[in-house]
Amino acid sequence: SSLLISLLQSCQAGVTQWAAGCSGLLQTAAVPGQCRWMLCSIFQRHKAGPFQLSKFCGGLIQANGAITQQNRSFYNTNKHLSTKDSFLSSEEKVGAFTRILEAMGFTGPLKYSKWKIKVAALRMYTCCVEKTDFEEFFNRCQMPDTLNSWFLVAQLHVWMCLVRLKQEGRTGQYMCRYIVHCMWEDVEQRGKVMGMNSTVLKEDLKKMVENFYAALFGYDEGILCDDRVLAAALWRNLFNRNCDDPRHLELLVEYVRKQVQHLDALSGEDLLLTGEVSWRPLVESNARSILKPLAPVYKDEGL
């Protein structure tokens, strides 16, 4: 009987320690409104025994830290947001009515006029296709001078603009959608000017759309990871797996990194109002010449 009593006391002590550890973990992982409910569920699991409780807490710890899978480490932030929180800044928080409108496909109130944002988006896309030296890309990277090669280089610059604009809240996301709309309109018009058959052009546009969204995922992963992942994304999407010279990949990786850094230096207000962006040259004559660009002048006459 004394042995049974000691075993029960040790089991109860172990459960108490696990409950205390889980309560501390929940206070950092959950929001205050959910902490009471989750703690109640933990103490209800006390009847299931310490093994089930240990399994439950192990799942919380695994979900709160870094998960290693197939020799690749994926980091999960330890800050869990509730439905009341938002990934946007405090000035971007919207009410329930606006969320319902956006869920129905409508656009809620934006920071600036929609017409101003559309004009800025068109100007930004124009900067992507007119301020980029496509001939230099074709020559240095040994790419064929075709509509598809032009589109691959253009979509790389459009993607970099989308990465920058997504940092500007709901207004930036609306501008992203219109930039992509302008891109598809331009691609279709260029295909018609080149005299492509409407059926062939439709099939090519369908393939371009699929490749575009696949490239977005690859580039996003590459910009968040190391240069090897970014080089693999460029090799798959920009070069169509036809690059045998690693120097070309090295040149493009350096180009993407410095362009993203260059765009980050631009003011978000100026981007939303003007849409003016500039691009660093493919080959830098002076690697230390990347400075903060001058702020553009915004004129809203007639808007």
Side-chain angles (χ1 to χ4, degrees), residues 130-147:
E130 290 189 355
K131 293 186 177 181
T132 303
D133 193 347
F134 290 90
E135 185 176 357
E136 184 180 12
F137 272 87
F138 297 160
N139 294 332
R140 289 190 176 273
C141 300
Q142 298 180 359
M143 301 175 64
D145 189 358
T146 60
L147 177 63

Side-chain angles (χ1 to χ4, degrees), residues 240-258:
N240 279 327
R241 297 182 173 86
N242 292 326
C243 179
D244 298 329
D245 193 346
R247 292 175 297 181
H248 296 162
L249 287 174
E250 181 183 6
L251 178 64
L252 266 298
V253 168
E254 179 185 357
Y255 179 78
V256 171
R257 295 289 187 190
K258 71 181 180 183

Side-chain angles (χ1 to χ4, degrees), residues 137-184:
F137 272 87
F138 297 160
N139 294 332
R140 289 190 176 273
C141 300
Q142 298 180 359
M143 301 175 64
D145 189 358
T146 60
L147 177 63
N148 185 61
S149 298
W150 172 89
F151 171 73
L152 294 177
V153 176
Q155 83 169 358
L156 178 64
H157 291 79
V158 168
W159 164 75
M160 289 188 284
C161 289
L162 300 183
V163 170
R164 179 61 184 88
L165 287 176
K166 287 179 180 179
Q167 305 175 27
E168 301 303 324
R170 296 171 56 254
T171 307
Q173 293 176 4
Y174 179 79
M175 191 169 173
C176 287
R177 295 199 299 266
Y178 199 75
I179 290 177
V180 175
H181 172 76
C182 294
M183 181 185 68
W184 294 125

